[in-house]
Amino acid sequence: MYNIAVVGCGVVGITSALAIQNRVKKCTVTIYAHEVSPNTTTDIAGGLWEPYLLQETPEEKVAEWSKTTYDYLLRLWIQGKAGDAGICLQPVTTATDNENYQRPNWLDSTLGHTMMSEGDLMMLSKRYGTELVGGVTFMSFMWEGATLLPFLQKEFIDNGGNIVMKYIEDIEELSGYDVVVNCTGLGANKLMGDTNVKPIRGQIIKVRAPWIFHSFLIDSEKSGYVLGNKNFVILGGTRQHDDSTKVDDDDKNNILRNCSKLVPSIKSAEIIEHQVGLRPARNKVRLEAEIKRNGDNEVRIVHNYGHGGAGITLSVGCAEEAAKLVEQMLTEKYKSKL
Ligand SMILES: Cc1cc2nc3c(=O)[nH]c(=O)nc-3n(C[C@H](O)[C@H](O)[C@H](O)COP(=O)(O)OP(=O)(O)OC[C@H]3O[C@@H](n4cnc5c(N)ncnc54)[C@H](O)[C@@H]3O)c2cc1C
């Protein structure tokens, strides 16, 4: 029996743990986490499937990983599990003021899309008060962070997995495991000393507005989004290079003003909660294997972190690749006994 440890129980950790259970025969998987749902960054995310804030992560990898997630969500939706899993299928309009806007290649993975016409852009620009130059309406999924985590955790535990609440100070604490999968998000900065991992602050407002069935996202200096979900609507948002998790009053007012321009009925929505989360940003997603040696001690690690503003979007694709890397490391360690 192979023993695998996964550090982290946000969307990246739990999907990786499940992918390993599904791929590697005869293994036990233990998750070590400092925090679990409802206290992770994932719990704050609206869960829009759309690659966002991924810096230099290669476009073809983003398209591949996000497609795997989209296909997985579509499968759950077809199996009738959308309610339990926290999935909503709906049209999403996203527009930008970026002059260099190009049709994103990940649109090919979706169930359908329509590029915005000049007329559409003019109308939305006028309403929003920003000159928008490109955009698209596409069919996408919301996969609500706070619902997906308990749903996937149950599947993991039903499959025989274990979750241990523990802060890992040093990855060598886990050297007894065959492979350790590092899904610590922002925590990788401390755990691995990776200074490329930096927070991008996101403040949001959760409101009750059950009449919203179409989501919007404006990617500009005055960014704003309205994401309809199963249990609430998320209004956002900020993207600041800042690590403050305090709710800021100016941000609150800007979010309400911008989102009311997108969907005027937001003004009458009941506010449930203001929240701040720190996106685990990195110059690019780190998904690779490493053998860390310290004298006679060695730890085989698969890193899977740094998913910025798209951890939910990329999760299932990255998890499957991480599970393949785990399998390769086991094969190398035990010389093809798998
Ligand atoms: C406001 C906001 C809105 C967002 N909206 C979206 C969206 O619409 N769509 C989308 O795809 N993404 C969105 N994101 C981004 C998404 O939330 C993240 O990319 C994603 O949650 C990252 O998941 P993760 O599992 O890597 O990190 P986390 O959810 O932060 O989980 C990290 C885990 O690692 C654990 N950990 C860390 N260090 C240690 C340690 N040393 N020892 C033990 N455990 C440790 C933590 O306790 C936790 O369990 C949003 C983010 C924010 C803040």
Side-chain angles (χ1 to χ4, degrees), residues 16 81 85 91 120 164 178 224 236 282:
S16 298
K81 295 184 180 165
D120 296 337
V164 178
D178 290 308
R282 195 172 183 271

Side-chain angles (χ1 to χ4, degrees), residues 115-125 132-133:
M115 300 308 295
M116 289 178 81
S117 66
E118 295 264 317
D120 296 337
L121 285 165
M122 257 168 61
M123 210 160 63
L124 194 56
S125 298
L132 301 166
V133 295

Side-chain angles (χ1 to χ4, degrees), residues 289-291 300-301 325-333:
E290 181 192 14
I291 301 180
R300 286 167 193 265
I301 309 168
L325 291 173
V326 167
E327 191 175 52
Q328 276 168 21
M329 281 198 131
L330 290 170
T331 308
E332 280 158 24
K333 185 172 176 187

